[in-house]
Amino acid sequence: MRTAISIILNGMHHLPQQSKIIPLLFDKWIIVEGASKSNLCTSWCNDMPEEFHNNGSSVDGTVAFLKRLEEEQDNVEVYFASGLWGGKVSMFNYGIQNSNPEDGHLWEIDIDEYWEHNQINNSEKLLKNTQHSCAKFSCNLPLNEEIIVRGAWGESTVEGYKRLWKYKKGSRFLSHEPPCLENEGNCLPPNLTPRFTHLSYYYEDQVKFKAKWYRGHEYIYEGWKEIITGKVQLPCGVDRLFKKPIMNSNWENTIITYI
């Protein structure tokens, strides 16, 4: 069985398109909607800004869209917020426990992450051929139609995004950042896996949200705006996006340039 799980808050930039893609790629799509508290592995975040939720629920039309989608698609299961979730780990585990998918492959698909059918198939083949139990991936990270990030930050060419597991029924997530499923073994590195497209810093309101929720990202909206409007000459370092010196040495070679 091939299962996707997503947690979604204010996903209307992506839901109309993703609702036509993900149900075709997966046997089951588990969706957990709403905002979460900043604790455990996301304790580095600020408190969830009130302007982006209504008692934990999305405020951009996501709830109504997901209710229609669940009615129309037999393989989509949605679990809605009732106040702030206890944390992102609890969101994933709530979806897993209530849906209870069968053994197979489990994918974390964030709503702003775009995958193609061959990438999904080939990644699962790689796990089988290499005897790994999970896989990490790099991504293409465009800031708009003309500008893209290259390097360790964003593209995650060094660390990678863990998105695929060989799943045993009843397994739980131990953390979300990074995602970790209990009893997982060796992980396939990102230099061996396909690259997905990640639109996490593509839309203005989503960048504003990250600037307010992610600690250390206070000036990223201003930096993003200066870059996409041409005020900053390209190529430039990722420090121009954050508008402050970068302390993480792995990010020093990350550049922002034209596609």
Side-chain angles (χ1 to χ4, degrees), residues 49-91:
E50 293 186 1
E51 66 196 88
F52 295 103
H53 72 95
N54 179 16
N55 194 31
S57 297
S58 299
V59 294
D60 69 338
T62 289
V63 172
F65 187 97
L66 290 178
K67 287 180 177 179
R68 291 194 302 269
L69 179 64
E70 188 176 31
E71 291 176 355
E72 296 168 357
Q73 295 283 352
D74 292 337
N75 63 338
V76 175
E77 299 178 8
V78 187
Y79 302 95
F80 294 98
S82 178
L84 290 174
W85 292 93
K88 288 190 175 182
V89 178
S90 66
M91 294 178 74

Side-chain angles (χ1 to χ4, degrees), residues 65-130:
F65 187 97
L66 290 178
K67 287 180 177 179
R68 291 194 302 269
L69 179 64
E70 188 176 31
E71 291 176 355
E72 296 168 357
Q73 295 283 352
D74 292 337
N75 63 338
V76 175
E77 299 178 8
V78 187
Y79 302 95
F80 294 98
S82 178
L84 290 174
W85 292 93
K88 288 190 175 182
V89 178
S90 66
M91 294 178 74
F92 277 103
N93 285 331
Y94 187 91
I96 289 290
Q97 289 173 337
N98 283 274
S99 179
N100 198 26
E102 300 295 329
D103 291 1
H105 291 104
L106 177 67
W107 288 80
E108 177 190 333
I109 304 291
D110 290 353
I111 196 60
D112 56 11
E113 298 176 356
Y114 290 80
W115 296 80
E116 298 176 2
H117 188 264
N118 67 316
Q119 294 175 320
I120 300 292
N121 285 339
N122 291 340
S123 298
E124 293 174 353
K125 289 178 183 177
L126 284 169
L127 283 193
K128 180 180 179 181
N129 293 343
T130 60

